[in-house]
Amino acid sequence: MIKKDYPLNENTLEEEKEIISLRPKSLSEYIGQDRIVETLKIAIEAALKRKEPLEHILFNGPPGLGKTTLAHIIANEMGTRIITSSGPALEKGGDLLGLLTHMERGDIFFIDEIHRIPKVVEEFLYPAMEDFAVDFIFDKGVHARTHRYRLEQFTLIGATTRAGLLSSPLRERFGITRDLDFYNEKDLAKIIKRSAKIINITIDEGGAYEIAKRARGTPRVANRLLKRVRDYAQVKADGVITKEVAIDALTLEGIDDFGLGDIDRRLLETIIINYKGGPVGIEALSATLQLESDVLIEVIEPYLLKTGFIIRTSQGRKATEKAYKHLHMNIKQKDKTPLF
Ligand code: ADE
């Protein structure tokens, strides 16, 4: 399994726990993704009124935008349990059946990275989602018999960074499908101010906006940067996060004013110098950068595409003029000697 926001996230376990504690527990505390939140409020209120479990829900989007957080909030608002697993953890049909057969009515079953479920396991999900039943198969060949086992009515919440990789039978079984998009600076600044209050650090408007600007549109990154800047403020300044403190701290972290880190810049430089600006295929990039192509596609690329540093063509990725400008390179520099 790839680490969630590897390699941008080098948190220790303790830091990870503190970041998790910053997650909102209810929809009213949740900042941003307004239309998704509104849809969920209505669906939850209607289900509670009818005393019925919620429909199955699929969240799609880059890491760190709140898919897991929303699943926990939904369970909290519905007053139900949440049982969590992930695609790679469900290796065999038995792993899934064990969880499904212990579900109680209304339970939320959260599957992270649902696109990584093995095909054989996925097939057990179809009747489970549609008919709340699983079919056990005994014997093989002509003697094969099936026994249908009834399940309690549960709600599956799937999270994926690659909805395109989901088979259509699986995708079609979700009643609500939503794409989470990157957050704007205003919402990120609000999230940062809320988190600052929880972790007890004073931050002014300029400080919150400076961190927001460099947080790649991602709350998880924003909270991680906030903690780095808090350390810096407490050691190098008077414990207050201002714009200047945030700039100094994040510059030291190698994070530029677009939120790009070393890996992003290395990717852009590789396209420009090694591949003359592109187009370059993802596998070639992955080999040159020595990073898994899944990490490039799911973690690093989405923000570079969103902010227009690269574009994707049928022949591969190309660096844009914005990338050349940002790296202070001109088009001729693409003829320089490759970096590695
Ligand atoms: N912390 C992380 N994500 C958040 C969000 N969307 N709203 C409030 N706090 C958060």
Side-chain angles (χ1 to χ4, degrees):
M1 179 170 41
I2 62 167
K3 221 174 121 197
K4 272 236 180 117
D5 48 355
Y6 167 93
L8 305 169
N9 180 356
E10 277 141 25
N11 298 333
T12 63
L13 204 61
E14 275 314 302
E15 277 182 328
E16 197 60 45
K17 274 193 208 152
E18 196 175 9
I19 286 177
I20 289 170
S21 75
L22 297 176
R23 287 179 180 167
K25 309 275 182 302
S26 66
L27 285 177
S28 59
E29 283 176 89
Y30 197 94
I31 296 159
Q33 310 287 352
D34 296 351
R35 284 174 51 209
I36 296 178
V37 167
E38 194 54 28
T39 303
L40 293 175
K41 276 185 184 162
I42 294 169
I44 290 170
E45 196 178 328
L48 287 174
K49 258 191 193 153
R50 293 193 300 262
K51 297 191 172 33
E52 275 176 12
L54 274 177
E55 282 182 275
H56 304 306
I57 303 172
L58 179 66
F59 292 126
N60 174 46
L65 297 190
K67 300 182 292 293
T68 307
T69 303
L70 282 173
H72 283 270
I73 290 178
I74 291 169
N76 199 25
E77 302 256 352
M78 290 294 294
T80 59
R81 301 191 306 173
I82 178 164
I83 291 98
T84 64
S85 188
S86 76
L90 298 169
E91 276 178 40
K92 298 190 288 288
D95 299 332
L96 178 66
L97 293 177
L99 292 170
L100 289 175
T101 51
H102 286 89
M103 293 283 162
E104 290 172 14
R105 183 177 162 82
D107 276 353
I108 303 283
F109 181 27
F110 176 65
I111 306 183
D112 200 7
E113 295 189 71
I114 194 166
H115 60 280
R116 291 181 197 268
I117 288 191
K119 189 81 198 143
V120 283
V121 181
E122 183 181 315
E123 280 167 11
F124 282 104
L125 265 185
Y126 304 155
M129 290 173 78
E130 196 149 288
D131 307 321
F132 301 104
V134 281
D135 297 314
F136 286 94
I137 304 167
F138 302 96
D139 292 340
K140 284 191 180 137
V142 286
H143 300 294
R145 290 165 292 128
T146 63
H147 174 70
R148 188 151 255 229
Y149 184 94
R150 294 252 144 242
L151 301 172
E152 293 296 339
Q153 199 174 336
F154 66 98
T155 297
L156 177 65
I157 302 184
T160 180
T161 45
R162 306 277 296 276
L165 295 186
L166 249 58
S167 69
S168 37
L170 182 56
R171 213 173 326 136
E172 284 158 12
R173 283 171 169 79
F174 288 96
I176 300 174
T177 297
R178 287 294 177 273
D179 294 327
L180 276 78
D181 201 358
F182 290 109
Y183 290 61
N184 60 37
E185 268 176 34
K186 198 169 148 216
D187 286 339
L188 282 175
K190 276 193 209 162
I191 291 172
I192 291 162
K193 284 188 272 182
R194 174 185 178 274
S195 299
K197 216 179 254 171
I198 299 172
I199 63 169
N200 250 323
I201 180 88
T202 312
I203 187 165
D204 70 11
E205 200 67 15
Y209 266 88
E210 199 53 45
I211 299 175
K213 203 169 94 180
R214 297 171 187 236
R216 307 172 68 89
T218 308
R220 190 190 295 157
V221 175
N223 283 335
R224 183 169 56 83
L225 298 184
L226 172 65
K227 300 191 69 222
R228 293 282 67 75
V229 181
R230 172 181 66 171
D231 289 351
Y232 189 92
Q234 287 172 346
V235 174
K236 295 276 191 187
D238 56 1
V240 175
I241 302 178
T242 59
K243 179 176 169 140
E244 290 69 32
V245 168
I247 291 174
D248 291 348
L250 295 177
T251 305
L252 188 65
E253 288 283 304
I255 294 160
D256 65 32
D257 50 0
F258 274 93
L260 307 193
D262 293 341
I263 291 162
D264 302 292
R265 285 188 294 269
R266 210 149 66 81
L267 182 140
L268 297 178
E269 283 166 7
T270 303
I271 299 179
I272 292 173
I273 299 173
N274 295 47
Y275 296 98
K276 305 195 182 306
V280 48
I282 196 73
E283 294 305 331
L285 259 185
S286 150
T288 314
L289 289 165
Q290 302 206 351
L291 281 169
E292 274 180 60
S293 55
D294 284 349
V295 173
L296 284 179
I297 295 170
E298 295 169 27
V299 184
I300 301 171
E301 257 194 0
Y303 185 70
L304 297 174
L305 285 164
K306 166 85 181 179
T307 45
F309 284 105
I310 56 173
I311 54 166
R312 216 157 48 190
T313 70
S314 53
Q315 283 103 38
R317 282 66 179 164
K318 283 179 80 168
T320 62
E321 210 181 313
K322 184 172 173 181
Y324 284 89
K325 274 201 187 130
H326 187 64
L327 297 179
H328 306 292
M329 288 182 163
N330 56 45
I331 304 284
K332 284 200 194 102
Q333 273 173 290
K334 71 183 186 183
D335 297 324
K336 268 178 42 176
T337 322
L339 289 176
F340 30 78

